[in-house]
Amino acid sequence: MKDFCFRRFAEVLDVMENPNIFGLHENGAIASLQRESQDLLEPLVSMQPTAAGGSSGTTDELVISVVDTLLSQLKSRIVLDEDSLSHLVSAKLCSRSTSTQVAKAIVHPLRPSKRDVVEKVHPFTTFILLEAHRFNALRTTVLEHLQELKRAIRGEVLMSEFLESLYNNVVFSRVPPVWVSASYPTLKPLGAWVSDLKLRMEFISSWLSRGHGLGNEGASSSLGMEPLQSYWLGGLFFPQGFLTAVLQAHSRAHDLPVDSLTLKTTVMKIESGANVRKGPEEGVYVHGLFLDGGRW
């Protein structure tokens, strides 16, 4: 009798728990089902043969065509002028151990240390130059791997285990794990990922070419100090660093300790960052953020 009651009770329960039980939006179930489907289908797709019979040449031609398309999208790198490179080197030197900086200061007591030079630079300057360096490094990694894959397909070099894995990722339009580890967080497939990388690099190049956010504080610089009207926060490699730079800029402008500052976000009634005509008096405008199942 007890077993019968338990079965009757279990039969009236929902097959899937309502996301509201866990305090989630109803779309949370959709995301969960998509993830389960992806986990189920990915192993099945990976077991599919890349070629059937004598059509291996066709598959190789397809991969080379995709590789050529990806290479064409990443032709341009982010160009840094001599002043920018000088700031970048100073910032990278400043990230080393304090003892090294102290030793340099003792050897050259009359010369300003690299840390003193960097502290006079606007926080956005250091941030944007480090962003450019990260994107250029990622682009170089992608280009080197794709060019090596082309050579392996043509028989010029040995098809190693790494190149074979890269080959399969291109066939199934997946971002190789080695690129993911050197990249920003993303869920895009390979083609969309490369297109997105190109857009991000174009944004950084545009920022640098216009000279916005560069230069020394309190000094007129050929690089300029006019800020952007709105910043593509979602397109940055390290957005946390940008938010820190915003706090540092406010701290220096008002002579306040940066540890005492916090960020406050206000949602604007502007649909696109391109529609922003003028930046705020304090802080910055950002765009490119998405909220799934949320409202205010």
Side-chain angles (χ1 to χ4, degrees):
M1 184 64 182
K2 290 183 178 180
D3 292 341
F4 176 77
C5 293
F6 283 131
R7 286 197 300 269
R8 290 292 301 271
F9 178 76
E11 288 174 356
V12 299
L13 295 177
D14 295 332
V15 177
M16 293 186 58
E17 293 84 357
N18 193 318
N20 295 330
I21 298 176
F22 306 98
L24 300 176
H25 190 268
E26 293 181 357
N27 288 344
I30 300 176
S32 176
L33 291 173
Q34 288 177 340
R35 182 62 184 178
E36 290 181 3
S37 301
Q38 183 178 0
D39 292 340
L40 173 64
L41 295 177
E42 277 190 352
L44 298 177
V45 172
S46 64
M47 290 187 291
Q48 292 290 328
T50 57
S55 62
S56 60
T58 304
T59 305
D60 290 346
E61 292 173 1
L62 174 63
V63 172
I64 290 180
S65 175
V66 173
V67 169
D68 288 337
T69 302
L70 299 180
L71 290 174
S72 65
Q73 291 184 285
L74 300 177
K75 283 184 177 180
S76 303
R77 65 188 302 271
I78 301 175
V79 180
L80 300 175
D81 56 23
E82 294 184 1
D83 291 339
S84 299
L85 290 174
S86 176
H87 288 318
L88 180 59
V89 171
S90 299
K92 293 177 72 176
L93 285 175
C94 232
S95 64
R96 296 181 180 177
S97 62
T98 307
S99 60
T100 305
Q101 298 299 327
V102 172
K104 289 183 178 179
I106 294 175
V107 175
H108 303 288
L110 300 180
R111 299 181 184 178
S113 66
K114 294 292 184 181
R115 186 174 298 277
D116 294 335
V117 173
V118 173
E119 286 179 352
K120 295 180 181 179
V121 177
H122 194 278
F124 283 8
T125 303
T126 304
F127 168 77
I128 190 61
L129 295 180
L130 290 175
E131 283 286 291
H133 174 70
R134 294 186 185 101
F135 278 113
N136 279 339
L138 176 59
R139 170 186 173 272
T140 300
T141 300
V142 173
L143 292 182
E144 289 178 350
H145 290 168
L146 291 178
Q147 291 168 353
E148 192 72 9
L149 178 60
K150 283 185 63 176
R151 294 179 59 193
I153 294 175
R154 293 171 179 171
E156 299 175 4
V157 296
L158 180 65
M159 179 69 78
S160 63
E161 182 179 353
F162 168 75
L163 293 177
E164 184 178 357
S165 173
L166 181 61
Y167 182 98
N168 292 329
N169 284 317
V170 173
V171 170
F172 297 116
S173 189
R174 294 193 298 246
V175 182
V178 65
W179 296 357
V180 174
S181 62
S183 175
Y184 39 84
T186 181
L187 298 175
K188 296 180 180 293
L190 180 59
W193 182 82
V194 174
S195 299
D196 180 67
L197 175 60
K198 179 184 178 183
L199 291 177
R200 291 169 184 253
M201 295 183 65
E202 288 176 350
F203 168 69
I204 299 298
S205 296
S206 175
W207 187 352
L208 287 170
S209 64
R210 296 169 61 182
H212 295 336
L214 298 179
N216 293 343
E217 290 184 342
S220 60
S221 171
S222 61
L223 295 175
M225 278 297 296
E226 183 184 354
L228 294 177
Q229 287 80 11
S230 181
Y231 297 86
W232 183 18
L233 185 62
L236 299 176
F237 202 110
F238 186 59
Q240 298 92 330
F242 174 79
L243 299 179
T244 301
V246 172
L247 294 177
Q248 291 174 342
H250 186 85
S251 171
R252 296 183 186 183
H254 298 276
D255 195 20
L256 296 171
V258 68
D259 295 339
S260 65
L261 301 177
T262 57
L263 292 170
K264 180 181 178 181
T265 303
T266 302
V267 180
M268 309 297 294
K269 295 182 179 180
I270 303 176
E271 295 184 359
S272 172
N275 298 332
V276 179
R277 302 304 177 191
K278 183 180 179 181
E281 297 296 331
E282 294 285 347
V284 294
Y285 287 144
V286 297
H287 63 273
L289 301 179
F290 299 91
L291 189 62
D292 186 11
R295 64 182 179 183
W296 55 88

